[in-house]
Amino acid sequence: MFVCSINIQKVFDIVNYGKLFLKLLDDDANNKIVKILSVWCSKQICCVRWHVVSAGFTVGSGTRQGGTLSPYLFSRYITELLWAISGTVVGCLVGNHSFNTFTYADDLDILAPS
């Protein structure tokens, strides 16, 4: 079996909020919760501290590194990609089941038969 392990940490930074919230609504997530997340994300102000603190700036995309919801939100964001990979039925067969991806947060393992 071949395993390709990919750390996709930088992808957390480019999650498009609009697409993410539409995906959550497509999953029948509670509208009020999606609205709260939308307001929370749109009102984020960050600054950089390097000897001094910079002026605040808004953040237009990305999930927070280390945030409690970030792994779930990111997993939902890439679900279609994971389903596309799973749909190839190329991977390691165990009985009648094909296993070809394992993911958690920003780690993605892709499996292939040797």
Side-chain angles (χ1 to χ4, degrees):
M1 168 174 63
F2 294 109
V3 177
C4 176
S5 294
I6 306 168
N7 184 315
I8 48 180
Q9 178 179 4
K10 296 297 180 192
V11 178
F12 267 72
D13 299 335
I14 60 171
V15 169
N16 180 293
Y17 291 142
K19 289 180 183 179
L20 173 62
F21 298 138
L22 287 175
K23 290 175 187 232
L24 291 172
L25 291 172
D26 287 344
D27 291 345
D28 293 327
N30 185 303
N31 289 346
K32 290 179 183 178
I33 292 174
V34 174
K35 178 76 172 179
I36 290 169
L37 286 171
S38 173
V39 170
W40 177 55
C41 290
S42 67
K43 304 274 185 199
Q44 292 183 87
I45 297 177
C46 296
C47 60
V48 176
R49 186 173 74 178
W50 185 263
H51 302 292
V52 295
V53 178
S54 72
F57 57 91
T58 59
V59 178
S61 64
T63 57
R64 293 178 176 254
Q65 291 288 336
T68 305
L69 282 176
S70 295
Y72 168 76
L73 294 174
F74 182 72
S75 294
R76 176 55 194 101
Y77 192 73
I78 64 168
T79 297
E80 284 83 9
L81 170 66
L82 298 176
W83 279 111
I85 294 170
S86 295
T88 64
V89 193
V90 174
C92 297
L93 293 176
V94 178
N96 293 330
H97 300 285
S98 173
F99 295 93
N100 50 18
T101 60
F102 292 106
T103 60
Y104 179 74
D106 61 354
D107 296 315
L108 171 63
D109 294 331
I110 301 174
L111 309 175
S114 59

